Amino acid sequence: MEFARFSRLLQEIRNFGSRIETHSNFYSTKAMLSPRFAEPREGPTAELYRRISPVGDWNISIVPILNQWVEEGRSVDAEGLKDIIRELRYYKRYNHALEISMWMSDKRYFELSSLDAAVRLELISKAQGIEQNAEKYFNDLSVKRKGLHVYSALLKCYATEKCVEKAEAVMQKMRDLGYDKNARDYNFMLNLYYKTGNMEKMESLLQEMEENGIVHDKFTLAILFSAYAAIMDIEKMDKIVRIVESEPNAVFDWTNYNAAAVGYKKAGLFDKAFEMLKKAEARLPSKPDFTAYHSLLTQYATIGRKDEVVRVWSLYKRYKVYNPGYKRVLKSLVMLGDIEMAEGIFDEWESQDLSYDMNVPNVMIGAYSKKGLIEKAEALVDRAISKGGKPNGWTWYCLATGYLENDQPRKGVEMMKRAIVLCVPYRKPSIEPLAACLEHLKGLGDIEEAEEFIKLLMDESIISLDIQEKLLNAVKAEKSVQTGALLELMKAEKKS
């Protein structure tokens, strides 16, 4: 795209602040803009959430808690339940959020709005998968309910799963219906093209936005930063920063500088990334923004600035820090290789009056496993269980990879089986350790167990029927099957 044209587009950002509400009411729709806007309201809603919150295992249903609440004669209202759904989405507890959504309409007979349907569609996609359940839900919705929000949610689901052709079909349908008037949906497609490496289509879509008078927002800019960083076009990245910073009324907040930092980091320009992060900090909102602190912790860690991680953590701790904050700082310190400091903060987390979220110790379990400290990883699992923690699929996956990388393949296979059974659609095991498990079973000559392992992958929707057949033929073959060959089969499945 000619940069002169791109410059003209960015000039429009000077009016962004005053135009965005009239540009699209879609951005004011809180449940779609962000899954979390505030803690559940005080009163009955907050009390019900306190009962639900400790159930960290997504395989344990929270419906009995909801039913008991009603049996006790407690009040429940639709808006309060939606608050809880937003909170659960924020913590990626999609199964539980979906259960509440279904319970609202099936048991309490609350009428489902188009926006509610959109939220449910996204939850179904996250918890059960897009290809069958989410698509069926969309197709079964009445025409009345299939408004902008629902189509946008379906587009987001396809874009997230990198289903290019299906996303393009939905986008075309939205054009036909006159729903292609907001930057949000264009951003889904721009990000999809960036993630799939199709710069030509991305540029074409930017041209379409210009022709339709659709203003670039901060998310558009973030995608462009990442896209230009991916192709190492530093000149365009620099120009975006200069043009926007020269606009006195431009909406260029901490998120944009954070995106610029990510772009420069990908290009290996750590000093520029550091400069952008400092500018991001200078534009943090006056009200505590936990998302900002989480991002800063991660970004400073990725450029190797432990001193900044420690400093930001000390600033963050001026406020009440919840499980996601502890998880983020632990991941940052592990990334920097400071296991000892991470252990100290983990001990601090255990001393807090917080629910025992297994995802926090999982960070340490994963770190121990990668470093070959298997005994410490096993001990931490036992310690977590003794404190009321319930190991989830990621717990067993971390142990499995540790065993596989440290010459204990038999234990690795057993732990991987547990992980597969408990895995959720949005967090499936990586291909490499799965292939390593199959290679081990093939090497032992245990074809029957290898077949059972492959069937388990199929049953849990990790591979398709076609790949199942190919893998079965591969392990049955007399010749040795190396991890590389299995990887190619499974990577082909992932791409499709």
Side-chain angles (χ1 to χ4, degrees):
M1 179 178 63
E2 291 295 327
F3 214 86
R5 176 165 58 84
F6 181 60
S7 298
R8 291 197 304 273
L9 285 173
L10 286 179
Q11 293 286 339
E12 297 182 28
I13 297 176
R14 71 179 69 181
N15 301 318
F16 178 76
S18 61
R19 292 173 58 184
I20 189 63
E21 288 193 19
T22 56
H23 172 60
S24 173
N25 288 331
F26 197 73
Y27 277 89
S28 65
T29 308
K30 62 183 182 179
M32 294 299 289
L33 176 63
S34 173
R36 183 179 191 252
F37 278 72
E39 298 286 344
R41 297 174 298 172
E42 288 303 317
T45 298
E47 186 177 345
L48 176 58
Y49 179 73
R50 281 192 287 271
R51 293 191 187 185
I52 292 171
S53 179
V55 186
D57 187 342
W58 47 68
N59 293 287
I60 298 176
S61 174
I62 61 171
V63 171
I65 296 175
L66 298 171
N67 290 337
Q68 182 180 355
W69 178 267
V70 174
E71 290 169 3
E72 292 173 1
R74 305 272 189 161
S75 63
V76 62
D77 64 89
E79 289 306 312
L81 291 171
K82 290 176 186 179
D83 282 345
I84 296 177
I85 288 174
R86 281 191 286 272
E87 190 76 3
L88 293 172
R89 289 174 67 203
Y90 176 78
Y91 290 111
K92 297 184 178 181
R93 291 173 56 177
Y94 303 116
N95 278 7
H96 292 160
L98 178 59
E99 283 188 323
I100 294 178
S101 175
M102 299 296 293
W103 186 80
M104 286 174 63
S105 55
D106 295 349
K107 299 295 183 181
R108 305 305 298 170
Y109 307 111
F110 290 124
E111 185 176 357
L112 203 67
S113 68
S114 177
L115 179 57
D116 296 330
V119 172
R120 183 178 294 182
L121 174 64
E122 188 175 346
L123 290 173
I124 292 173
S125 176
K126 291 287 189 182
Q128 300 176 358
I130 181 68
E131 292 294 336
Q132 295 179 344
N133 295 321
E135 287 179 350
K136 183 179 185 304
Y137 177 74
F138 175 82
N139 292 331
D140 289 344
L141 284 173
S142 64
V143 175
K144 178 183 177 182
R145 291 242 168 84
K146 287 182 182 177
L148 166 62
H149 303 312
V150 173
Y151 274 102
S152 184
L154 183 63
L155 178 66
K156 179 182 178 182
C157 292
Y158 282 138
T160 300
E161 294 298 319
K162 299 180 182 178
C163 301
V164 177
E165 291 184 3
K166 290 187 176 182
E168 289 175 336
V170 174
M171 189 66 181
Q172 185 56 52
K173 181 67 174 179
M174 294 178 74
R175 292 187 184 100
D176 297 340
L177 294 171
Y179 290 158
D180 58 331
K181 305 302 180 185
N182 64 78
R184 179 182 173 87
D185 297 316
Y186 278 94
N187 288 342
F188 291 149
M189 294 303 298
L190 288 172
N191 197 50
L192 172 61
Y193 290 142
Y194 150 57
K195 292 290 187 182
T196 54
N198 199 326
M199 292 295 291
E200 184 177 345
K201 285 189 174 182
M202 191 186 84
E203 301 285 1
S204 176
L205 203 62
L206 287 169
Q207 173 70 37
E208 182 179 326
M209 290 178 72
E210 179 183 9
E211 292 171 354
N212 291 341
I214 296 174
V215 182
H216 291 195
D217 62 15
K218 61 184 181 181
F219 302 107
T220 314
L221 295 177
I223 295 166
L224 293 178
F225 274 124
S226 298
Y228 293 140
I231 60 174
M232 300 291 286
D233 196 332
I234 308 304
E235 182 180 354
K236 282 189 178 180
M237 293 170 60
D238 289 342
K239 282 188 176 181
I240 292 174
V241 174
R242 286 199 302 270
I243 291 171
V244 178
E245 285 189 331
S246 69
E247 293 296 329
N249 298 320
V251 178
F252 206 59
D253 62 12
W254 76 266
T255 60
N256 291 112
Y257 280 112
N258 183 70
V262 173
Y264 285 127
K265 178 199 68 181
K266 287 180 179 178
L269 301 175
F270 286 7
D271 288 342
K272 281 197 170 184
F274 180 73
E275 179 187 346
M276 293 297 107
L277 289 173
K278 285 298 182 181
K279 289 185 176 182
E281 281 196 64
R283 286 161 178 77
L284 291 181
S286 56
K287 185 178 180 180
D289 188 333
F290 298 149
T291 303
Y293 284 108
H294 295 173
S295 182
L296 288 169
L297 287 169
T298 298
Q299 297 311 323
Y300 278 127
T302 58
I303 62 173
R305 297 301 298 262
K306 177 184 170 184
D307 56 334
E308 298 296 333
V309 170
V310 174
R311 181 183 60 80
V312 171
W313 177 241
S314 66
L315 293 174
Y316 190 3
K317 287 181 64 178
R318 293 177 300 174
Y319 313 105
K320 175 69 174 177
V321 181
Y322 295 94
N323 289 331
Y326 278 101
K327 178 182 175 183
R328 188 61 65 102
V329 72
L330 289 175
K331 291 181 73 172
S332 298
L333 291 170
V334 166
M335 188 187 307
L336 290 163
D338 195 334
I339 300 296
E340 184 176 348
M341 187 173 183
E343 288 175 330
I345 292 179
F346 178 77
D347 290 339
E348 175 188 315
W349 169 74
E350 284 195 321
S351 69
Q352 302 298 307
D353 185 23
L354 297 170
S355 61
Y356 205 96
D357 181 355
M358 197 66 200
N359 291 312
V360 179
N362 277 351
V363 176
M364 300 305 299
I365 294 167
Y368 290 145
S369 296
K370 285 182 180 179
K371 285 188 169 293
L373 304 173
I374 302 300
E375 291 184 0
K376 294 191 77 169
E378 292 172 332
L380 184 50
V381 173
D382 293 337
R383 172 175 159 186
I385 293 173
S386 70
K387 291 180 176 292
K390 295 180 180 179
N392 53 38
W394 199 249
T395 310
W396 305 126
Y397 176 74
C398 290
L399 282 178
T401 55
Y403 288 134
L404 290 168
E405 292 173 6
N406 290 277
D407 299 321
Q408 299 184 59
R410 170 50 61 186
K411 285 186 176 181
V413 171
E414 292 306 313
M415 288 299 104
M416 189 62 75
K417 288 179 180 178
R418 294 190 192 184
I420 291 168
V421 170
L422 295 176
C423 79
V424 290
Y426 58 89
R427 204 174 193 184
K428 294 180 180 180
S430 298
I431 295 171
E432 287 79 3
L434 294 177
C437 289
L438 284 174
E439 183 183 2
H440 168 69
L441 295 173
K442 170 72 175 181
L444 291 176
D446 196 338
I447 304 303
E448 183 177 349
E449 187 172 353
E451 290 176 346
E452 291 177 358
F453 188 85
I454 294 169
K455 185 177 184 301
L456 182 60
L457 294 176
M458 172 64 188
D459 291 343
E460 298 300 328
S461 301
I462 294 174
I463 61 174
S464 66
L465 181 61
D466 179 56
I467 295 298
Q468 179 189 27
E469 292 299 320
K470 291 179 180 178
L471 288 175
L472 287 172
N473 291 334
V475 299
K476 288 178 181 177
E478 292 184 4
K479 60 182 180 179
S480 175
V481 180
Q482 300 300 313
T483 303
L486 295 172
L487 277 174
E488 289 306 312
L489 284 174
M490 299 174 81
K491 283 181 179 178
E493 161 74 358
K494 189 173 183 180
K495 288 181 180 179
S496 64

